[in-house]
């Protein structure tokens, strides 16, 4: 792999940019690997990357039915934060957030991590109490967050209407080192680094079946034939239920659509991320000037990557109330992704009923922020066969034991 | 935009008039059941890509719960029927088979027949 640098740019500028190499190879699958990761979204690619980097396992294939980063990783609104309530959540999301701080250097790929600050508005007394509690919990977890006054909210984001007639802003939970990143670049950066370690990223190859013998996976049937493996990691977000069915077990997961949209680009007008959970919408501004907007999930199982229009209307209604200046903005594009919602709104990083098969899913509406931490924890689980401290609480048997990691109250909105 | 016909009042209701209730025909387990049975009832879901049976409530209409047969891969609706049944009625199964000849009736709560 040729490194990207200011010298590389200068060198290529002098030779008509003829020397750039492909960011990753596109090989045909080998017959057998030490480990296969199904799904080349951020979580699958990060899993493969840390398998190589932290555990020295590089005879790895990442199998993707579409194009890499084409799932939720390339469809999300890129909010990164770690101000969760429960200790096990805070640990893995903060691990991820801190890895984002150095990801561009680590991968030699600019992922445009922008710790511009994330603000979660409190617009009811219930929310004020909830966020005060989260701020105290975060203080104990060593995560820098703070409950701020409406005046401070207005200073940080002048376009915000803090005296709305329905839900005036009563304060906010503020995480100054939260922010956004470039979603595609995260997938591309990991893919390039994986390929450089000799891993095979096999796109346009769908896994159709999981073969096992005596409770151990032997390989997967794909549209490019059978591929053998010693270990299998399933990291397919919305399609996790399908993969689990191929392997013969069920998950506490429903697949539903979540949508996002962007406006026409305008001059810089907000340099923080604002989430308004009571009225149900959130917004940030991209470097291109578009307002990036998201709202709630649909309430029914859906695999079409198309959501219901009335949710867009509800989201925009909420945001026009919160940011009156956007009332005449035109919306340019809108799209949907299929998110994997668990019973307690927390992810699953777990062993499965098959000995050498592991699953990472259930990130639902909020897993972009977790990509590096999740990959780190999943790689450890796959390499050692046992979960490390980051993954332990997220096993899929917690539903039987009643050991929920309940974040549904702490995170009232989809993000 | 999803439109389902309420089998009680006959209204073709838009989804904004309905409240979703997810998987139908779940077998309920309560006190005295094993942790595995209770977990399966509470959490383990079919979540199929394809034919699915669901609960819906005509929330802003007659208020009643009914069931719907739908395809989650295309959003096609095969039909709706009253909720007072423990399995999909024969005419709904026929409609599904007409549209999805490859589909094998997999509505059983224990997952039998899904493969
Ligand atoms: C509209 C929207 C907004 C969001 N906003 C945020 C946000 O602001 N902040 C945040 O943190 N999170 C957000 N999320 C959630 C976040 O996008 C996801 O949690 C995260 O991207 C999941 O990554 P992944 O790698 O697990 O899944 P994906 O990126 O979906 O990757 C899974 C891959 O598996 C592949 N696959 C599936 N089945 C098979 C098969 N049989 N064989 C081979 N490959 C298969 C798919 O093609 C896909 O590429 C949002 C999601 C959506 C949809
Ligand atoms: Zn009705």
């Amino acid at each position: 792999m040729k490194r990207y640098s200011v010298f590389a740019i200068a060198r290529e500028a002098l030779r008509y940019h003829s020397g750039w190499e492909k960011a990753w190879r596109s090989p045909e699958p080998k017959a057998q690997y030490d480990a296969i990761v199904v799904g080349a979204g951020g979580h699958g690619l990060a899993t493969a990357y840390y398998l190589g980097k932290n555990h020295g396992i590089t005879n790895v294939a990442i199998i993707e039915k579409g194009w890499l980063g084409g799932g939720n990783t390339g469809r999300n609104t890129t909010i990164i934060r770690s101000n969760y309530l429960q200790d096990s959540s805070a640990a893995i999301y903060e691990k991820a957030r801190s890895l984002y701080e150095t990801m561009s250097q680590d991968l030699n790929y600019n992922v445009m991590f922008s710790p511009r600050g994330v603000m979660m508005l409190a617009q009811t007394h219930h929310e004020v109490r909830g966020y005060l509690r989260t701020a105290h919990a975060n203080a104990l977890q060593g995560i820098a967050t703070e409950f701020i006054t409406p005046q401070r909210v207005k200073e940080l984001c002048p376009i915000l209407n803090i005296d709305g007639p329905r839900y005036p802003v009563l304060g906010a939970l503020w995480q100054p080192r939260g922010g956004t990143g470039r979603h595609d670049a995260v997938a591309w950066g990991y893919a390039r680094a994986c390929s450089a370690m000799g891993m095979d990223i096999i796109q346009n190859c769908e896994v159709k079946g999981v073969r096992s013998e005596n409770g151990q996976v032997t390989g997967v049937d794909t549209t490019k034939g059978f591929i053998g493996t010693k270990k299998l990691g399933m990291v397919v977000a919305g399609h996790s239920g399908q993969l689990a069915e191929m392997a013969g077990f069920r998950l506490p997961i429903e697949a539903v659509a979540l949508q996002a949209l962007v406006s026409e680009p305008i001059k810089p007008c907000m340099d923080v991320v604002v989430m308004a959970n009571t009225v149900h919408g959130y917004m940030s501004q991209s470097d291109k000037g578009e307002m990036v907007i998201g709202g709630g999930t649909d309430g029914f199982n859906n695999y079409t990557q198309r959501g219901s229009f009335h949710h867009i209307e509800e989201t925009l209604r909420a945001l026009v109330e919160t940011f009156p200046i956007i009332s005449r903005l035109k919306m340019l594009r809108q799209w949907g992704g299929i998110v994997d919602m668990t019973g307690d709104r927390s992810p699953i990083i777990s062993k499965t009923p098959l000995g050498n098969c592991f699953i990472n899913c259930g990130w639902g509406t909020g897993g972009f922020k977790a990509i590096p931490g999740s990959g780190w924890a999943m790689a450890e689980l796959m390499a050692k066969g046992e979960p490390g401290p980051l993954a332990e609480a997220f096993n899929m048997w917690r539903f039987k034991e009643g050991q929920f990691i309940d974040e549904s109250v702490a995170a009232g909105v989809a993000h | 935009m999803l439109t389902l016909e309420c089998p009680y009042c006959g209204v073709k209701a838009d989804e904004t008039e309905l409240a979703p209730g997810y998987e139908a025909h779940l077998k309920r387990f309560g006190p005295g059941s094993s942790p595995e049975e209770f977990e399966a009832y509470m959490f383990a879901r079919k979540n199929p890509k394809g034919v699915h049976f669901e609960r819906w409530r005509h929330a802003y209409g007659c208020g009643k719960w009914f069931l719907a047969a739908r395809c989650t891969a295309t959003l096609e609706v095969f039909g709706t029927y009253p909720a007072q049944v423990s399995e999909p009625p024969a005419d709904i199964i026929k409609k599904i088979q007409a549209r999805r000849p490859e589909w094998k009736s997999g509505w059983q709560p224990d997952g039998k027949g899904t493969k």
Side-chain angles (χ1 to χ4, degrees):
Chain A
M1 179 181 88
K2 282 191 199 153
R3 286 183 65 79
Y4 295 150
S5 69
V6 63
F7 305 106
I9 293 174
R11 187 182 64 232
E12 292 306 323
L14 295 174
R15 52 176 184 181
Y16 302 100
H17 293 282
S18 57
W20 297 115
E21 58 183 16
K22 288 219 163 105
W24 49 81
R25 296 167 297 110
S26 296
E28 285 304 308
K30 292 188 254 177
Q32 172 82 23
Y33 291 92
D34 290 341
I36 286 181
V37 175
V38 187
H43 290 258
L45 290 162
T47 298
Y49 175 72
Y50 294 113
L51 270 177
K53 188 178 172 190
N54 295 354
H55 304 281
I57 302 173
T58 54
N59 183 19
V60 174
I62 305 127
I63 303 181
E64 166 57 50
K65 80 176 160 78
W67 65 96
L68 71 88
N72 293 344
T73 298
R75 294 163 184 268
N76 78 91
T77 47
T78 79
I79 298 175
I80 297 169
R81 59 182 183 90
S82 60
N83 52 355
Y84 283 71
L85 180 64
Q86 311 293 347
D87 289 349
S88 29
S89 318
I92 194 161
Y93 286 106
E94 177 59 14
K95 172 76 183 173
R97 200 205 57 76
S98 63
L99 286 169
Y100 266 117
E101 298 249 8
T102 51
M103 191 186 283
S104 294
Q105 291 78 8
D106 184 31
L107 297 179
N108 179 234
Y109 203 99
N110 186 2
V111 299
M112 296 164 74
F113 175 58
S114 161
R116 58 184 65 183
V118 174
M119 188 192 285
M120 297 167 80
L121 301 181
Q123 291 172 288
T124 64
H125 289 286
H126 176 78
E127 255 182 324
V128 171
R129 279 198 296 272
Y131 287 150
L132 280 169
R133 184 182 173 206
T134 306
H136 291 311
N138 290 162
L140 292 172
Q141 293 149 349
I143 292 168
T145 65
E146 164 188 12
F147 190 82
I148 57 174
T149 62
Q151 288 66 41
R152 181 95 174 95
V153 168
K154 188 77 183 168
E155 279 164 32
L156 286 164
C157 186
I159 65 166
L160 225 159
N161 176 20
I162 61 167
D163 321 300
R166 272 210 311 162
Y167 293 111
V169 173
L170 305 174
L173 182 64
W174 169 240
Q175 183 172 24
R177 294 301 289 178
T180 59
R182 172 85 204 278
H183 49 8
D184 296 323
V186 171
W188 296 338
Y190 274 125
R192 176 166 167 267
C194 287
S195 183
M197 283 190 276
M199 298 181 181
D200 291 350
I201 304 170
I202 299 157
Q203 304 184 67
N204 298 312
C205 178
E206 182 171 353
V207 171
K208 294 283 208 182
V210 174
R211 280 200 217 169
S212 61
E213 260 167 43
N214 308 324
Q216 300 284 320
V217 169
T218 53
V220 290
D221 289 304
T222 75
T223 45
K224 295 193 176 181
F226 176 79
I227 310 175
T229 187
K230 292 184 190 149
K231 287 178 180 188
L232 183 66
M234 303 174 170
V235 197
V236 293
H239 281 79
S240 298
Q242 286 227 290
L243 263 289
E245 196 187 337
M246 291 174 201
F249 59 95
R250 274 195 193 171
L251 291 168
I253 283 190
E254 304 276 25
V256 299
L258 174 66
Q259 299 174 89
L261 57 160
V262 292
S263 74
E264 59 188 321
I266 53 174
K267 285 186 178 171
C269 66
M270 78 187 277
D271 60 0
V272 295
V273 180
V274 175
M275 303 171 54
N277 294 353
T278 292
V279 294
H280 223 103
Y282 56 86
M283 192 165 92
S284 64
Q285 188 168 21
S286 76
D287 293 355
K288 286 183 282 180
E290 305 153 322
M291 306 313 288
V292 181
I293 291 172
T297 51
D298 288 351
F300 54 88
N301 302 59
N302 181 352
Y303 284 87
T304 66
Q305 294 187 320
R306 279 197 312 266
S308 298
F309 190 72
H310 67 94
H311 276 293
I312 293 180
E313 193 185 346
E314 282 158 24
T315 302
L316 289 177
R317 200 190 299 149
L319 289 175
V320 167
E321 187 177 330
T322 315
F323 304 95
I325 72 152
I326 69 164
S327 66
R328 274 167 294 170
L329 268 189
K330 291 186 184 67
M331 294 301 145
L332 276 195
R333 282 177 290 126
Q334 143 256 343
W335 63 91
I338 298 306
V339 294
D340 38 343
M341 306 296 284
T342 58
D344 62 358
R345 299 293 181 266
S346 284
I348 292 171
I349 307 174
S350 182
K351 304 206 262 185
T352 70
L354 294 174
N356 55 348
C357 173
F358 307 90
I359 190 154
N360 178 332
C361 63
W363 294 96
T365 61
F368 174 72
K369 61 178 72 62
I371 284 172
S374 158
W376 187 286
M378 180 71 174
E380 185 173 5
L381 173 63
M382 283 183 73
K384 298 184 179 161
E386 291 296 329
L390 283 177
E392 209 167 4
F394 295 102
N395 70 75
M396 65 185 237
W397 289 283
R398 70 178 186 268
F399 295 92
K400 190 167 74 191
E401 312 293 336
Q403 310 267 18
F404 308 119
I405 306 165
D406 190 354
E407 292 292 352
S408 52
V409 195
V413 76
H415 35 75
Chain B
M1 178 124 320
L2 198 59
T3 310
L4 299 175
E5 184 172 326
C6 173
Y8 298 105
C9 61
V11 167
K12 286 200 172 56
D14 169 273
E15 65 175 283
T16 56
E17 209 176 307
L18 301 165
Y22 292 93
E23 189 172 326
H25 303 302
L26 287 172
K27 184 156 185 257
R28 282 168 177 67
F29 287 93
S33 58
S34 72
E36 288 73 22
E37 287 167 336
F38 194 65
E39 183 204 11
Y41 155 52
M42 284 292 280
F43 296 107
R45 291 294 171 259
K46 283 205 190 78
N47 190 20
K49 185 172 183 174
V51 177
H52 195 33
F53 301 95
E54 281 175 337
R55 306 163 72 227
W56 286 86
R57 196 167 80 88
H58 196 185
Y60 296 101
C62 67
K64 293 199 176 76
W65 283 101
F66 63 90
L67 306 181
R70 232 169 35 82
C71 176
T72 63
T74 62
L75 302 190
E76 177 175 356
V77 177
F78 302 112
T80 56
Y81 50 101
Q84 287 74 17
V85 291
S86 53
E87 58 187 81
D91 63 314
I92 295 279
I93 299 278
K94 255 204 203 103
K95 273 186 204 158
I96 298 170
Q97 279 164 345
R99 299 282 303 160
R100 300 278 185 283
E102 75 291 352
W103 175 72
K104 305 209 178 44
S105 163
W107 56 267
Q108 289 94 330
D110 60 3
K112 281 201 190 102
T114 39
K115 299 266 155 57

